[in-house]
Amino acid sequence: MRFPRDFLWGAATSSYQIEGAVQEDGRGPSIWDIFCATPGKVYGGHSGAIACDHYHRYAEDIALMQSLGLQAYRFSVAWPRIFPQGRGKLNPAGLSFYERLVDGLLAANIAPLLTLYHWDLPQALQDQGGWANRDTLMAFADYADAVARRLGDRVKLWATHNEPWCIAILSHALGKHAPGKTDWKLALQVSHNLLVSHGLALDALRASASAIQAGIVLNFTWATPGGDRQEDEEAAQRYDGFFNRWFLDPLFKGSYPQDMWDIYGARVPRIEADDMALIQRPMDFLGVNYYTRELVRPGQDGFSFRFERNPKAEYTAMNWEVYPQGLEDMLVRLHEDYSAPPLYVTENGAAFDDVLTPGGVRDARRRAYLEAHFQAAYNAMQRGAPLRGYFVWSLLDNFEWAEGYAKRFGIVYVDYKTQKRIPKDSALWYRDFIAQQRA
Ligand code: FCB
């Protein structure tokens, strides 16, 4: 595997998962602070209140990235640090933190990829309906503008949203993430509003920082029929529509997939004039988050799904099948079926039950997972996919949302009692891999 010389190797994190310091320097509450404080929502009652204390340790974390030879780092900005009430009065201390972070990264020769929204919506906006309220879309564009004005001269790569599927469906239909709603009509309206807000934010970014490259980050799950019956084939098609096409088609084809539109029936979103044009704004890149596939069969009601287990496959601690072929096929499909712009793998990685020993963390399975997925990405490039870089999820063990701290995705182990960072074997392997690629 020889990747192109200018291929970017990096790692990813997000604000609420690592920063902590939730009450510092004027940060307002986010929907995740509230969700975590709601009994029964997050494993062990955990929260991001302290997390990896990255807000105070960012300089040490940059040095860590440097020691691993990372060329790029994907992080997100916490909206409630910039606008504690979501809109209105800007909090300069919040912007200063990200300015210090970005300047530190640049000084270390690490290219930043900044995500504007990785799920920590200001609670004040949620109180007014959150993403279901069209006013939030304008507030998001104003927030994008404020961050771009400050950092647009230094950050080249900008992503609007991280994983609209999770923001809309997982959080508003399935109730698993903040704000924990279970209303399909609401969820589909949120999915549409998010895509519109993405277009508005792209316009705002380009107006305030003309030289940047901007895009969105989507998550994909490859769908394979879970049996040989016609209805299994149809269920896999439908799952692909539910997970992948519902977001890809409007962005790249200008309309929602007809089969899903029919299935959703009365639950479909209301679309306003100009919405589809905003959603289709050209992008400089598409971020691809990929972890697994599902073996899909129909549920009882023709709407839901059931999933088979592959007895031959390896599963991660998330109970996700290790299936690198899905990454290869997805990247190729984005190129062939959607004429996608340049692609970045913005997240890929695995949680395993790591054990810290005096000799470090022997996470051979994570290393094998990464190696197999790098190979898949390489194969996709041989098949024409315009892949430009790869961000491993995650730099650090961190707050894994509803799973709290129970699931460790880091290539670097975090001892939460002491906040000590210990590179796992996978991190040392990645360091050597990057060095070889650059040699
Ligand atoms: C993705 C999220 C990321 C992380 C990984 C495991 O859905 O974007 O924050 O939690 O999953």
Side-chain angles (χ1 to χ4, degrees):
M1 278 194 270
R2 258 269 164 222
F3 285 79
R5 278 212 72 72
D6 54 355
F7 196 86
L8 280 183
W9 292 102
T13 63
S14 87
S15 46
Y16 190 72
Q17 294 181 275
I18 64 165
E19 286 178 359
V22 290
Q23 297 191 347
E24 240 160 283
D25 291 342
R27 177 186 178 276
S30 84
I31 56 174
W32 270 94
D33 299 291
I34 306 305
F35 194 67
C36 291
T38 312
K41 295 297 184 192
V42 174
Y43 173 87
H46 297 173
S47 83
I50 299 172
C52 306
D53 195 33
H54 170 78
Y55 190 78
H56 300 116
R57 295 168 195 262
Y58 70 93
E60 179 194 335
D61 290 335
I62 293 170
L64 174 64
M65 293 179 224
Q66 206 173 12
S67 76
L68 297 176
L70 300 191
Q71 297 165 271
Y73 174 55
R74 173 175 178 241
F75 67 95
S76 76
V77 172
W79 185 348
R81 288 197 194 280
I82 311 302
F83 289 103
Q85 298 302 312
R87 61 158 69 86
K89 201 166 159 355
L90 185 131
N91 175 37
L95 267 180
S96 298
F97 168 69
Y98 296 104
E99 183 163 62
R100 292 196 299 278
L101 174 66
V102 165
D103 287 346
L105 289 166
L106 295 176
N109 240 318
I110 298 168
L113 190 166
L114 184 158
T115 304
L116 286 167
Y117 188 71
H118 202 128
W119 308 354
D120 36 6
L121 186 74
Q123 179 61 32
L125 295 182
Q126 186 61 46
D127 293 341
Q128 293 154 32
W131 288 111
N133 181 346
R134 297 273 303 198
D135 291 345
T136 300
L137 285 52
M138 310 303 159
F140 183 58
D142 290 344
Y143 156 61
D145 169 73
V147 182
R149 272 172 202 276
R150 186 69 164 263
L151 298 175
D153 59 340
R154 280 160 280 180
V155 176
K156 205 169 92 186
L157 297 167
W158 294 68
T160 54
H161 288 296
N162 178 71
E163 303 191 345
W165 182 87
C166 287
I167 308 168
I169 310 296
L170 193 63
S171 313
H172 291 84
L174 308 179
K176 304 262 195 248
H177 280 183
K181 311 272 186 204
T182 50
D183 176 340
W184 271 93
K185 185 151 180 64
L186 174 79
L188 293 174
Q189 189 64 55
V190 165
S191 74
H192 177 72
N193 291 358
L194 285 169
L195 294 180
V196 174
S197 76
H198 153 76
L200 289 168
L202 280 185
D203 285 357
L205 288 174
R206 297 216 158 99
S208 1
S210 53
I212 63 166
Q213 293 177 10
I216 193 168
V217 172
L218 300 180
N219 55 323
F220 300 107
T221 294
W222 192 258
T224 305
D228 341 309
R229 285 173 308 179
Q230 176 67 22
E231 62 187 60
D232 301 320
E233 173 64 43
E234 285 164 12
Q237 280 291 330
R238 190 156 50 81
Y239 191 76
D240 181 61
F242 156 80
F243 210 103
N244 304 321
R245 288 182 287 117
W246 184 255
F247 299 92
L248 279 171
D249 284 22
L251 286 165
F252 293 105
K253 297 185 170 168
S255 61
Y256 287 97
Q258 190 61 49
D259 59 338
M260 298 313 296
W261 194 266
D262 296 342
I263 288 164
Y264 286 141
R267 291 166 277 211
V268 296
R270 209 174 95 91
I271 301 179
E272 296 189 8
D274 300 335
D275 281 1
M276 297 317 286
L278 275 164
I279 292 175
Q280 279 185 89
R281 288 285 193 266
M283 286 188 258
D284 303 302
F285 70 88
L286 173 67
V288 174
N289 291 358
Y290 175 83
Y291 291 93
T292 190
R293 74 150 164 191
E294 294 286 6
L295 295 170
V296 191
R297 306 194 84 160
Q300 298 294 338
D301 51 6
F303 183 74
S304 57
F305 306 96
R306 335 191 253 115
F307 304 106
E308 293 292 331
R309 203 177 163 87
N310 177 0
K312 296 197 200 90
E314 182 189 6
Y315 282 77
T316 71
M318 297 293 279
N319 221 355
W320 294 346
E321 182 186 350
V322 178
Y323 188 69
Q325 187 66 42
L327 175 61
E328 175 179 336
D329 292 341
M330 197 69 221
L331 292 170
V332 171
R333 177 181 174 201
L334 291 170
H335 170 58
E336 289 180 350
D337 295 357
Y338 290 94
S339 308
L343 301 168
Y344 289 91
V345 172
T346 33
E347 286 181 27
N348 172 250
F352 291 109
D353 295 326
D354 297 315
V355 182
L356 177 63
T357 72
V361 181
R362 305 270 106 96
D363 60 338
R365 293 176 68 192
R366 182 175 291 100
R367 174 208 149 135
Y369 178 100
L370 291 175
E371 198 168 12
H373 286 80
F374 291 179
Q375 181 68 54
Y378 183 80
N379 297 346
M381 290 173 79
Q382 304 310 303
R383 292 170 64 192
L387 188 65
R388 303 284 192 263
Y390 206 112
F391 295 80
V392 169
W393 185 271
S394 177
L395 175 68
L396 303 170
D397 289 337
N398 60 46
F399 174 73
E400 179 45 39
W401 309 113
E403 305 290 337
Y405 297 96
K407 299 288 185 267
R408 293 179 177 270
F409 272 92
I411 54 173
V412 174
Y413 188 93
V414 176
D415 178 349
Y416 294 109
K417 283 197 205 75
T418 59
Q419 290 295 350
K420 199 166 169 314
R421 277 81 162 128
I422 302 132
K424 303 177 190 176
D425 281 1
S426 58
L428 304 177
W429 170 81
Y430 190 33
R431 176 195 65 194
D432 295 346
F433 174 86
I434 296 170
Q436 264 165 35
Q437 289 293 323
R438 301 191 74 183

